[in-house]
Amino acid sequence: MTAALLLCAYALLITRLAPLALRRADRAPRLAVTAWYAAVVTVGSSLIAAAALLVATPEHSWERLCALVRLCVEALQGAHDWIGVLLAALALAGAAIVSFRIGVAAVGTLGASMRGRLRQARLAATAGRRLPGTGATVVDHDVATAYLVPGRHATIVVTSAAVEALTGRELAAVIAHEQGHHSGRHHLLVDGMRVLTRAFPRSRFLAVAHAQVALLVEICADESAARRHSRIDLARALVTMAEAQALPTVLAASGGDALTRIKRLLSPPVPLGRGTRAGLTAALAAMASAPVAVAGLALAWPLLMDCPAPFV
Amino acid sequence: MERLWSAGEWRTVREVLTELLQQRQIAYTTVMTVLDNLHKKGWLRRESSGKAHRYTPVMTREEYGAAQMRHALDASGDPAVALLKFVNQMSPEEAAGLRAALDAHERRNGR
């Protein structure tokens, strides 16, 4: 029981601490994406392990917690099994509901994405023409924009207006950014978060994780473009395209992300050192494996000790 | 579709087939089905000439591209399609904020 409570507290702590700890995480964007996923996995496995412990050790926990009301418990000796059955039923129902929600969200989100992406890729293939010297497809349109249609039929689409509005170097930087998305398989990272936020729409923690991962993959793509192109070209392209697409009816939502990217492109932060990065990776691994370790220990403890500690 | 656009006039299935056969092996029925599907979807206009049907695009290549792009831009607000856009739509004020940040940087660097 105590271990289960500890795990719940741990999950709560991470949902509170992760957004604070990862606010200035853009010095290592790729590690930050890993950190967000590690945090989500940790919270999820903590809650699952806590539920499992409650169900797996009902007698032990019940008897120990109710040491003071042992008489009462003994009076209900026969009821232990009944409580165990009830807890097991609750846990099974909980597991079924959670898997059902994730399943429905996955089918809904990914199905719609795949259909949309397939249609986009097909349309780009029919209506677009190759941009010589690049892997991009140009489509005639008077709004300057560029995007990657991710997936098996991956296509980088640039509008004719974008080709006109940008200089050759800026355009090359934009295409490199989208190529960065493609080679990093960023759509999978974003898709994962989209499924989770859709499955648990009331979770503030998941909403923040989703928004942050979406921003961080843009930063990763910017970085991969900046390796071969100048940052100022990428920044200029970003501003030009933002202006071209701006609409008064759009709610202020994505502008903050774009401003973060611009500031980062213009004055890049010092990347984290190799040592710091390795240390953080180890800490993440420890954080993510803690719940399973605690649950394992709590289950194994009575077997390991003849006289188990009173609080396990 | 490409064939009909470059032709710029009404074409029968047979004519399209003859052109396609210069590039690759393709069956008459395949071409016929594709053209028929495109007609059903509203991309092609059709008229009867004798026994065969003749087709012409409803929209020009440019209009078609524009239509699909409008769709893409509309759909970008819908997270379900989830294209990885270079920059998402924002309000003019936000775009002006970006421009200001860029200008300030360029002034600082004496350009």
Side-chain angles (χ1 to χ4, degrees):
Chain A
M1 181 65 105
T2 315
L5 285 177
L6 271 177
L7 283 169
C8 287
Y10 184 56
L12 194 69
L13 188 73
I14 287 188
T15 58
R16 290 286 172 277
L17 284 186
L20 296 176
L22 288 168
R23 195 183 289 161
R24 291 284 306 135
D26 64 340
R27 286 179 68 189
R30 202 140 12 129
L31 188 59
V33 173
T34 317
W36 272 112
Y37 266 96
V40 169
V41 166
T42 307
V43 170
S45 60
S46 291
L47 296 179
I48 291 170
L53 278 184
L54 280 178
V55 176
T57 55
E59 304 97 298
H60 305 288
S61 50
W62 185 254
E63 278 179 14
R64 283 191 199 114
L65 191 84
C66 296
L68 282 174
V69 282
R70 182 160 295 260
L71 274 175
C72 150
V73 175
E74 277 167 2
L76 289 167
Q77 258 330 307
H80 275 189
D81 286 6
W82 178 78
I83 290 170
V85 167
L86 185 73
L87 279 174
L90 280 177
L92 272 180
I97 290 172
V98 168
S99 346
F100 181 72
R101 287 180 79 154
I102 293 183
V104 166
V107 169
T109 312
L110 301 182
S113 300
M114 272 163 62
R115 278 194 303 279
R117 287 166 183 171
L118 196 65
R119 194 179 52 224
Q120 276 290 324
R122 217 181 273 151
L123 286 169
T126 18
R129 26 174 222 287
R130 290 259 139 191
L131 188 64
T134 64
T137 302
V138 184
V139 178
D140 292 315
H141 196 266
D142 48 9
V143 173
T145 183
Y147 55 88
L148 170 73
V149 184
R152 222 177 330 150
H153 310 273
T155 321
I156 296 169
V157 178
V158 199
T159 58
S160 52
V163 177
E164 278 163 33
L166 302 176
T167 66
R169 295 208 320 237
E170 290 168 3
L171 186 64
V174 169
I175 292 172
H177 168 104
E178 297 299 337
Q179 257 154 4
H181 277 317
H182 178 56
S183 50
R185 301 282 178 274
H186 290 164
H187 64 287
L188 298 179
L189 296 171
V190 180
D191 282 355
M193 285 297 174
R194 280 169 51 223
V195 168
L196 288 177
T197 40
R198 179 150 163 188
F200 307 102
R202 298 178 65 167
S203 163
R204 288 260 314 133
F205 170 64
L206 284 177
V208 174
H210 182 185
Q212 282 296 309
V213 166
L215 169 61
L216 286 165
V217 298
E218 292 304 329
I219 289 177
C220 286
D222 281 345
E223 285 308 308
S224 98
R227 243 171 267 145
R228 277 175 298 127
H229 302 270
S230 89
R231 304 182 85 93
I232 191 77
D233 280 335
L234 199 57
R236 286 201 189 111
L238 207 158
V239 174
T240 306
M241 288 229 217
E243 285 174 340
Q245 288 181 43
L247 268 182
T249 51
V250 172
L251 291 174
S254 59
D257 278 10
L259 192 59
T260 309
R261 284 168 65 197
I262 281 286
K263 284 182 177 157
R264 201 193 141 81
L265 281 171
L266 297 177
S267 39
V270 186
L272 283 185
R274 198 175 289 243
T276 321
R277 212 180 293 215
L280 285 174
T281 311
L284 283 181
M287 175 187 84
S289 49
V292 176
V294 167
L297 200 64
L299 284 177
W301 197 256
L303 303 173
L304 290 172
M305 306 293 266
D306 274 339
C307 179
F311 52 83
V312 175
Chain B
M1 206 74 199
E2 191 64 34
R3 286 287 135 208
L4 288 167
W5 269 321
S6 31
E9 55 185 22
W10 293 87
R11 284 296 168 93
T12 65
V13 178
R14 177 65 64 192
E15 284 163 355
V16 175
L17 176 72
T18 317
E19 285 179 13
L20 283 175
L21 275 177
Q22 290 165 4
Q23 293 169 354
R24 59 193 163 125
Q25 206 57 40
I26 188 166
Y28 179 85
T29 45
T30 313
V31 178
M32 191 173 74
T33 313
V34 168
L35 290 179
D36 190 47
N37 284 340
L38 287 170
H39 166 69
K40 278 186 197 144
K41 285 181 186 171
W43 293 117
L44 294 181
R45 206 172 288 131
R46 178 162 80 178
E47 63 168 33
S48 296
S49 67
K51 253 192 280 179
H53 289 305
R54 294 198 306 165
Y55 296 90
T56 195
V58 170
M59 292 186 246
T60 64
R61 192 201 304 268
E62 290 69 32
E63 287 167 341
Y64 179 73
Q68 79 113 342
M69 276 311 297
R70 218 169 294 125
H71 189 86
L73 290 173
D74 292 348
S76 67
D78 170 19
V81 174
L83 305 164
L84 292 161
K85 286 186 76 177
F86 178 62
V87 57
N88 282 314
Q89 264 183 341
M90 59 187 74
S91 67
E93 294 78 28
E94 287 175 317
L98 297 187
R99 175 62 72 187
L102 180 64
D103 286 348
H105 176 84
E106 300 203 325
R107 262 199 310 280
R108 263 202 308 279
N109 293 324
R111 298 181 52 146

